[in-house]
Amino acid sequence: MASSRRVLVTGCSSGIGLAVAARLAKDELRRFKVVATMRDLGKRGPLEKAAGDSLNKTLEIKQLDACCEASIKECVNSLPDRCVDVLVNNAGVGMIGPLECQSIAAMQELFDTNFFGLVRLLKELLPDMKRRQSGHIVVMSSVMGLQGLLFNDVYSASKFAVEGFCESLAVQAMKFNIKTTLVEPGPVVTEFERKVYEDAEKMDLSGTDEETAKIFREVYLPYSKKVFISLGQTPEEVAEQTVKVITAKEPPLRHQTNRLYMPMTALKHADPTGRLPLDTFYKMIFKHDVVFNATLGVLRILQRKERKILPEF
């Protein structure tokens, strides 16, 4: 246990954060001491159950609100020598729907968690990592930080901000022997996603025109459900790949967890003008729904075959 690394994970009350914390804590080689954090400790039950025998041994649960600098400082100060070897920044919120129906306050709140939450954590942790000349910053980003998607304008913008921030910071971090990795899942079937879509179905669309509201309800939402059924990963699958990134000798700057989604993001790099991905997504959604559905059917079969194949670094 003397050589184990301390990993601080945020957003552990459910979903990917919970799965990552539990997986690291149950590591057979006992390579990690996990500090699993969440804003509301009243929601710790599922994590305690998932942690099992590792609770209070290789995993401890602490309160941390990524939107509060004092909360972050209090959590870090409670750790021996304030030492965090690996940060897994996972806390986040979602938002979908027509832009006209979203309030500026809600957009700012999303950015406060998804982007500024990461910034606050690194302002607190980075100086210590620099001083020790060691550390690994692992950020749960999204393929939507690489490729914007219909009706995900604000959420995608927050992930683009995260990607640009980390890519810039990574160069400086290298000088101090600090690694940076952006983990980029595609669709993941979690309570987080379920609630986002549940809220979207009840969303007040009176702020937009009838055609946009119809596209959102009758095209986007049904298509999104099909994509999740065909391409969706489990939090445990994302967690397994996150562990591989953390234990890699040379961690990548970016790692997409769903190789079946890679052709979507590859379109962007194939055409510097940006026309190819725009035209492709437009035609898939509005012109060729039969082809779209058939493609998802093939991908669903491939996804089943891919389940146990994980990339090595």
Side-chain angles (χ1 to χ4, degrees):
M1 289 296 290
S3 62
S4 60
R5 290 192 285 171
R6 180 173 288 110
V7 186
L8 190 152
V9 188
T10 66
C12 294
S13 61
S14 65
I16 295 173
L18 185 154
V20 169
R23 172 62 181 82
L24 289 169
K26 292 179 176 180
D27 179 59
E28 290 183 0
L29 300 177
R30 296 172 71 84
R31 291 171 289 183
F32 311 106
K33 293 176 182 175
V34 181
V35 181
T37 72
M38 60 188 71
R39 183 173 56 184
D40 180 5
L41 288 178
K43 297 180 178 179
R44 61 190 291 165
L47 176 58
E48 289 179 331
K49 183 177 180 181
D53 293 340
S54 67
L55 185 64
N56 298 323
K57 293 177 183 175
T58 53
L59 181 144
E60 60 179 321
I61 302 173
K62 288 183 177 286
Q63 195 275 341
L64 185 150
D65 181 356
C67 294
C68 176
E69 290 175 72
S71 171
I72 294 170
K73 184 177 289 291
E74 182 179 348
C75 180
V76 175
N77 283 345
S78 73
L79 305 176
D81 300 321
R82 289 173 47 91
C83 180
V84 174
D85 299 298
V86 182
L87 166 67
V88 180
N89 181 84
N90 169 74
V93 294
M95 176 183 288
I96 57 174
L99 181 67
E100 308 95 304
C101 301
Q102 313 285 3
S103 71
I104 294 295
M107 296 180 201
Q108 290 173 329
E109 186 176 319
L110 179 142
F111 264 82
D112 199 34
T113 299
N114 292 8
F115 177 68
F116 288 106
L118 170 62
V119 173
R120 291 185 192 97
L121 280 158
L122 287 181
K123 278 176 67 68
E124 189 65 36
L125 293 173
L126 193 60
D128 291 332
M129 287 185 173
K130 284 182 173 180
R131 192 182 67 253
R132 291 192 306 271
Q133 297 274 307
S134 175
H136 191 178
I137 300 162
V138 180
V139 179
M140 203 56 63
S141 181
S142 168
V143 291
M144 279 190 267
L146 300 172
Q147 175 72 62
L149 293 178
L150 181 70
F151 291 121
N152 282 269
D153 324 272
V154 180
Y155 178 76
S156 186
S158 74
K159 292 301 183 180
F160 265 77
V162 163
E163 292 268 336
F165 174 76
C166 290
E167 189 173 285
S168 300
L169 191 65
V171 179
Q172 178 199 149
M174 283 179 68
K175 181 67 176 173
F176 295 89
N177 196 36
I178 300 167
K179 312 293 186 185
T180 306
T181 300
L182 289 150
V183 178
E184 298 159 336
V188 183
V189 183
T190 66
E191 180 66 18
F192 171 92
E193 297 289 354
R194 188 195 65 75
K195 189 174 188 313
V196 167
Y197 281 92
E198 189 178 82
D199 292 345
E201 289 175 352
K202 299 180 291 186
M203 189 176 185
D204 177 10
L205 299 176
S206 61
T208 191
D209 59 277
E210 284 186 20
E211 184 174 2
T212 299
K214 185 177 180 180
I215 292 169
F216 180 64
R217 282 211 174 104
E218 299 180 16
V219 178
Y220 171 77
L221 288 178
Y223 271 30
S224 291
K225 287 180 180 178
K226 290 175 184 176
V227 168
F228 269 86
I229 291 170
S230 301
L231 297 180
Q233 290 183 299
T234 66
E236 290 72 26
E237 286 173 320
V238 176
E240 195 64 42
Q241 296 204 36
T242 303
V243 172
K244 284 185 173 287
V245 163
I246 291 172
T247 56
K249 283 188 177 181
E250 292 296 331
L253 173 62
R254 288 187 168 89
H255 174 62
Q256 291 187 48
T257 68
N258 193 331
R259 65 176 67 190
L260 293 181
Y261 204 90
M262 288 179 186
M264 302 287 199
T265 52
L267 288 172
K268 188 168 187 175
H269 301 291
D271 179 8
T273 70
R275 290 302 314 174
L276 179 61
L278 279 180
D279 289 346
T280 300
F281 278 106
Y282 181 84
K283 289 172 181 175
M284 279 174 59
I285 294 168
F286 296 113
K287 299 287 186 181
H288 304 304
D289 60 323
V290 174
V291 175
F292 176 79
N293 288 328
T295 301
L296 286 182
V298 173
L299 289 175
R300 190 180 302 120
I301 294 169
L302 291 174
Q303 180 75 309
R304 294 194 191 109
K305 293 181 179 180
E306 290 277 334
R307 290 291 184 192
K308 296 182 180 180
I309 302 175
L310 296 173
E312 300 293 338
F313 303 110

